[in-house]
Amino acid sequence: MAAGLMHTGYYVGIFLAAIANYFIGARYGWRAMFVVGGTPALLVGFIRYGVRESKRWEHRIAQVGRTWTMQRALFALFSPEYRRRTLLNSTYLLISIVGLWAGSVYVPASVSQLAMKAGFSEGQGIRLASYGTMILSTGTIIGCLVLPILAEKFGRRVTLAIYFALMAAFISLGFGYVFYLQTHALVWFMMCLFFLGIGGANFAMYTLWLPEHTRLSAGPARLPSPLRSDVLPARV
């Protein structure tokens, strides 16, 4: 469950960015949105100097010693013991990026186009694009939270297969069929985005396949960061 919670941070950030775009970007334009999105970067200083390392982390560092560096952890991923696992997971993750991330980038522009086709104004289209991003993010967050439970019950391979099948099905359905419907395309497209988000949460699986001492080098935590450009294409 901890891995699922860690990976929700990225799409919590996208969800917050969509809310900001709904209230700020749609009214004041992309420049104001860019300023608001960059503000959380100031938290980096607080995190760097104001947050203490956990006792568990300090204990782990004391166990492995200072000789265990990120470089050594990275090389360990390509050791004979983990090389095959690393290469396979890298391939799966590439497919995941192409599916979910490329899909999420085109969501605002796609929703805006469908909104204009349905007779909405430009401002309404921008707000609907924000709704679409929120729906996709909600599905992804739910998918991340459910994934560890399913992995424990059905196993990692079966769970990953389910997530990939769900992602592939709704990419094909949403962008290949529903987008070109002459009537009610916008409503059906929004529904597809939710299930695309759930299936796209397969990226939360990959750190579960790695030994604990290498997980930081292979799967860095996704912090909530509204500094995103996903909603900006809706302005174009």
Side-chain angles (χ1 to χ4, degrees):
M1 182 58 73
L5 288 172
M6 178 187 75
H7 286 289
T8 60
Y10 192 84
Y11 278 87
V12 167
I14 295 180
F15 186 89
L16 295 176
I19 294 176
N21 187 64
Y22 183 90
F23 290 104
I24 299 172
R27 182 173 182 180
Y28 300 105
W30 68 268
R31 291 178 178 85
M33 182 65 189
F34 206 81
V35 171
V36 172
T39 303
L42 300 175
L43 293 174
V44 173
F46 170 76
I47 294 172
R48 178 66 180 84
Y49 297 102
V51 177
R52 295 179 57 85
E53 298 287 2
S54 67
K55 295 296 182 182
R56 182 180 178 183
W57 173 259
E58 292 176 347
H59 179 68
R60 181 63 178 168
I61 290 297
Q63 281 184 322
V64 300
R66 293 294 176 180
T67 58
W68 184 258
T69 62
M70 181 172 288
Q71 183 180 11
R72 286 190 61 190
L74 184 62
F75 287 159
L77 294 176
F78 293 94
S79 64
E81 184 178 2
Y82 300 114
R83 185 184 299 123
R84 181 176 180 274
R85 186 183 303 182
T86 299
L87 294 175
L88 285 175
N89 285 343
S90 297
T91 303
Y92 297 149
L93 189 56
L94 175 63
I95 298 172
S96 174
I97 291 173
V98 171
L100 178 64
W101 291 11
S104 64
V105 166
Y106 282 105
V107 163
S110 300
V111 173
S112 296
Q113 187 172 342
L114 289 175
M116 293 180 63
K117 183 179 175 181
F120 291 96
S121 66
E122 181 181 357
Q124 290 173 325
I126 294 172
R127 289 184 171 86
L128 285 170
S130 298
Y131 275 131
T133 303
M134 289 183 222
I135 291 171
L136 179 75
S137 302
T138 301
T140 307
I141 292 169
I142 293 173
C144 288
L145 295 175
V146 173
L147 185 143
I149 300 173
L150 296 178
E152 288 292 332
K153 185 174 182 178
F154 301 110
R156 299 172 185 178
R157 289 183 177 86
V158 173
T159 301
L160 189 61
I162 293 172
Y163 272 68
F164 265 106
L166 196 63
M167 181 179 71
F170 282 95
I171 287 176
S172 302
L173 182 63
F175 289 93
Y177 175 72
V178 170
F179 184 81
Y180 298 99
L181 290 177
Q182 297 303 313
T183 57
H184 307 298
L186 183 59
V187 175
W188 288 108
F189 189 77
M190 291 287 198
M191 293 176 62
C192 289
L193 291 180
F194 178 75
F195 292 101
L196 169 59
I198 293 177
N202 58 74
F203 61 80
M205 174 69 75
Y206 302 108
T207 51
L208 299 178
W209 261 318
L210 296 167
E212 184 177 355
H213 58 279
T214 62
R215 287 180 182 176
L216 183 60
S217 60
R222 289 170 167 81
L223 297 176
S225 175
L227 184 56
R228 294 284 298 163
S229 61
D230 295 56
V231 294
L232 293 181
R235 306 290 308 166
V236 179

